[in-house]
Amino acid sequence: MKHELNSQNTKQMLCDALIELSAQKAFSKITVSEIVNLCNVNRKTFYYHFEDVYDLLEWHLNNEIKKAISTFDPVYDLNASISFAVDYMNQHPCLKKFVQDPLAREKITKLLNEVLSPKVLELFQQREETLGKSIEPDFKDFLVKYMTHITVLSVLDAIENPDNYDIEKMKRYISIIFDTSMHGIFQQM
């Protein structure tokens, strides 16, 4: 238990250094050497916990975003899930730099898809239960992936280009798209 706590503390310390450095420079320019120097630990300590800086970023995102969004009820909180992701990223300017790095953006995209996909699936399942209709499993799988991915790409674009978006309108539009799409899909069943 004590080793686990020390391990978590070390990971968090490395993560804090990453965030501090990202406020000063582009994510792609941050090195393991800079992180360990800031933490006063050796490189072996870093590599004991993480493969590279991207792995550290992924750990950070998993801890911060995944846990929070996973607690939302999709029926009532799809907007809350999206709001949390957008607000969190807007409140942490370093994440905008992460989104601008292609490999980091890929990891963030993957994580957000993993987190939101089950929420979107739950929306479909709850609608099926409410209406007493079902969607063919392959079609439902496609719809969940499609709607999740479009939402994630919209959120990331809004973070990267905040001047191009009114976040509140975007959230409302996404909600309208989900509702009308689901309504139309179930009418066809």
Side-chain angles (χ1 to χ4, degrees):
M1 180 76 168
K2 188 175 181 179
H3 174 69
E4 234 177 78
L5 185 59
N6 285 339
S7 179
Q8 285 297 104
N9 290 340
T10 301
K11 288 178 179 181
Q12 188 60 54
M13 180 176 61
L14 294 166
C15 182
D16 292 344
L18 173 67
I19 292 168
E20 184 177 330
L21 289 166
S22 69
Q24 302 165 15
K25 57 171 49 178
F27 179 76
S28 61
K29 303 290 182 192
I30 298 172
T31 66
V32 171
S33 294
E34 292 171 316
I35 293 170
V36 297
N37 286 341
L38 198 56
C39 294
N40 264 346
V41 297
N42 62 41
R43 292 174 67 83
K44 286 182 182 180
T45 300
F46 180 92
Y47 288 112
Y48 176 77
H49 297 287
F50 302 105
E51 290 180 23
D52 54 23
V53 177
Y54 293 98
D55 192 30
L56 173 58
L57 170 64
E58 193 168 1
W59 180 85
H60 169 64
L61 293 172
N62 272 313
N63 280 333
E64 296 291 323
I65 296 173
K66 198 172 192 176
K67 288 177 186 173
I69 292 177
S70 67
T71 64
F72 294 125
D73 180 342
V75 171
Y76 305 105
D77 293 328
L78 178 64
N79 281 343
S81 298
I82 295 166
S83 293
F84 175 81
V86 171
D87 294 344
Y88 180 85
M89 291 185 167
N90 281 331
Q91 291 167 4
H92 296 82
C94 62
L95 290 175
K96 183 174 180 180
K97 291 183 180 181
F98 298 158
V99 170
Q100 293 169 341
D101 178 87
L103 188 53
R105 184 185 183 101
E106 185 180 314
K107 287 189 177 285
I108 293 168
T109 300
K110 181 180 178 225
L111 173 69
L112 289 175
N113 273 302
E114 287 173 5
V115 171
L116 288 177
S117 190
K119 299 298 180 190
V120 174
L121 177 60
E122 285 179 50
L123 279 172
F124 277 101
Q125 290 169 334
Q126 289 170 351
R127 186 68 62 99
E128 285 176 319
E129 190 175 304
T130 301
L131 297 175
K133 296 182 177 183
S134 62
I135 300 173
E136 181 182 319
D138 288 347
F139 185 42
K140 184 172 22 178
D141 185 53
F142 170 80
L143 288 169
V144 167
K145 288 177 183 173
Y146 177 79
M147 294 178 88
T148 301
H149 194 64
I150 293 300
T151 302
V152 168
L153 292 179
S154 298
V155 168
L156 292 177
D157 193 50
I159 291 162
E160 195 170 12
N161 304 294
D163 296 338
N164 296 343
Y165 290 89
D166 176 328
I167 298 300
E168 292 307 312
K169 281 184 180 179
M170 183 186 85
K171 290 185 285 191
R172 192 174 84 244
Y173 295 160
I174 289 171
S175 183
I176 290 168
I177 290 167
F178 269 80
D179 287 344
T180 56
S181 297
M182 289 175 70
H183 179 76
I185 290 163
F186 281 99
Q187 274 191 327
Q188 297 295 316
M189 304 320 275

